[in-house]
Amino acid sequence: MHHRVFSGIQPTGNLHLGNYLGAIRNWVGFQDRMETVFCIVDLHALTQQPAAADMQPNIREVTAAYLASGIDPKRAIIFAQSRVSVHAELAWVLSCHAPLGWLNRMTQFKEKAGKDKDVAVTGLYTYPVLMAADILAYRATHVPVGEDQKQHLELARDIAGAFNRHYGVDFFPLPEPEIFGAATRVMSLRDGTKKMSKSDPSDYSRLVMTDDADTIALKLRKAKTDTEPLPEPGTSFEAARPEAANLIGIYAALSDQTRDAVLTQWAGQQFSGFKRELTERAVAVLGPIGAEMKRLLAAPDHVDAVLADGAERARAIANPIWDEARRIIGLS
Ligand code: TYM
């Protein structure tokens, strides 16, 4: 089976350290080994009902983040989802193979919809079907994402299997989740039990990819901790000390070490010193990326050209797959 990587990020602003460590950073290495397709999932962003004027700036922001993080547009395909009509068309077909019971299990829908499910929009509910279509439209085999997307990927595998069984074909590969690194689930800097997210009302909950050194320092100084020193390696403290566990994970990821290696160095010391060192590492990693993003966004011609070229190359892969799917389904 031909190997192909697909992943994507919603253009909803506030791109943060979790998006970088959980996703984008892990994409870079695949470029040398496989064909890679990286999407800006603008149709998914519509589930949040964004203002029209925010869409293009947010699409460019995510594109700039990909480029600044080392995604090479000569090798990788970078494009906006809505520019390739196959995503929406295939999503419809797949929705006809996805039982309600499968969607009812999705924890992200339950979290995002809140208490009153009747007012949540249909798009939020079928979001994971569109996500399955994104992946299967390219017959992708590898999908590098953060931990929070694991359930959606299992659903994508189930849907691919249901399609293949119904038509008696081996057409869609079952995509493999690629979830790795020391920070597959980065938590809020204000509450170690909540995921770091673009939509948290507190700016202090997240490091955003364009934060400058002073802002990074301020946010990490204010980051919640407890009064205990750093724990010993090999002990289980995570459940009782979620904020400590989160900062240790971030430190490990930013310095390419394991959590245990970080603790071997820091056990018994105070968080104040640890946070100063963490700040230096965060600035060393995010500083150059944020500066490059700002440079790219100041004159976005290059970003726009990358998206136009990427859309063409994406269609060149997805259109023939869709044609073949139509024949399998009996639509042509
Ligand atoms: P989005 O935009 O919510 O998240 C983009 C990526 O960032 C990861 N991520 C995190 N990783 C670690 N810690 C965090 N706190 C954190 N927050 C977010 C997510 O796991 C994701 O990898 N539904 C997808 C977008 C999507 C997609 C796809 C992904 C649409 N179609 C097809 C892969 C393949 C999402 O969550 O986007």
Side-chain angles (χ1 to χ4, degrees):
M1 177 73 72
H2 185 72
H3 285 175
R4 187 177 282 140
V5 175
F6 185 97
S7 198
I9 294 186
Q10 297 190 71
T12 39
N14 282 337
L15 223 54
H16 55 73
L17 183 68
N19 299 131
Y20 179 67
L21 293 178
I24 308 174
R25 187 178 72 154
N26 290 347
W27 302 353
V28 177
F30 282 108
Q31 297 179 105
D32 307 326
R33 302 189 276 128
M34 292 180 204
E35 196 177 7
T36 47
V37 184
F38 298 121
C39 190
I40 295 100
V41 291
D42 50 1
L43 296 175
H44 277 107
L46 299 182
T47 59
Q48 310 292 321
Q49 290 153 326
D54 291 339
M55 288 303 295
Q56 294 307 313
N58 284 344
I59 291 168
R60 287 181 176 133
E61 183 203 17
V62 177
T63 310
Y66 291 0
L67 296 171
S69 302
I71 305 296
D72 171 9
K74 292 205 173 60
R75 287 181 287 166
I77 295 175
I78 301 174
F79 75 106
Q81 186 186 32
S82 66
R83 301 296 304 278
V84 181
S85 57
V86 173
H87 294 251
E89 293 176 281
L90 182 60
W92 176 258
V93 168
L94 298 179
S95 77
C96 298
H97 292 274
L100 288 177
W102 291 2
L103 290 181
N104 286 339
R105 286 206 294 271
M106 295 296 114
T107 55
Q108 188 158 307
F109 172 75
K110 289 178 200 164
E111 283 158 23
K112 290 207 169 158
K115 282 198 184 66
D116 191 355
K117 304 275 182 289
D118 281 356
V119 298
V121 296
T122 318
L124 198 61
Y125 185 70
T126 55
Y127 178 114
V129 179
L130 179 59
M131 182 165 159
D134 296 339
I135 298 164
L136 301 180
Y138 300 84
R139 300 176 78 193
T141 50
H142 295 66
V143 185
V145 286
E147 178 75 42
D148 62 334
Q149 295 305 306
K150 196 168 182 221
Q151 194 185 36
H152 287 162
L153 278 178
E154 278 157 13
L155 181 77
R157 290 169 63 90
D158 289 344
I159 293 176
F163 179 98
N164 289 345
R165 270 194 309 283
H166 179 76
Y167 293 107
V169 291
D170 187 15
F171 185 61
F172 289 126
L174 306 190
E176 284 295 334
E178 295 284 343
I179 301 170
F180 56 90
T184 56
R185 187 174 175 80
V186 178
M187 308 307 279
S188 159
L189 300 176
R190 307 297 304 160
D191 177 349
T193 64
K194 274 188 3 206
K195 202 171 67 171
M196 183 177 285
S197 97
K198 300 178 190 131
S199 57
D200 192 311
S202 167
D203 280 338
Y204 287 99
S205 69
R206 63 187 159 253
L207 294 183
V208 300
M209 290 180 70
T210 46
D211 276 344
D212 59 23
D214 289 344
T215 310
I216 293 173
L218 178 66
K219 287 179 178 176
L220 288 177
R221 212 164 41 243
K222 283 185 179 272
K224 191 175 169 200
T225 45
D226 50 46
T227 52
E228 301 289 306
L230 276 98
E232 297 293 327
T235 56
S236 64
F237 62 90
E238 288 81 1
R241 304 180 64 188
E243 285 83 16
N246 187 38
L247 293 184
I248 291 160
I250 292 172
Y251 187 110
L254 289 174
S255 54
D256 285 312
Q257 299 180 65
T258 63
R259 287 165 183 249
D260 263 2
V262 173
L263 290 181
T264 303
Q265 186 190 345
W266 287 93
Q269 301 186 54
Q270 295 300 323
F271 266 100
S272 49
F274 179 83
K275 280 181 167 184
R276 277 195 295 276
E277 182 68 28
L278 176 60
T279 298
E280 277 190 26
R281 291 177 191 249
V283 169
V285 172
L286 289 184
I289 294 176
E292 177 65 1
M293 283 175 68
K294 286 177 192 153
R295 192 188 71 79
L296 287 165
L297 293 172
D301 301 15
H302 176 59
V303 165
D304 291 346
V306 164
L307 288 171
D309 173 62
E312 221 168 278
R313 287 157 63 203
R315 284 192 290 263
I317 299 176
N319 286 350
I321 292 174
W322 174 236
D323 286 343
E324 200 174 335
R326 286 170 50 90
R327 274 194 295 279
I328 291 170
I329 299 163
L331 293 173
S332 69

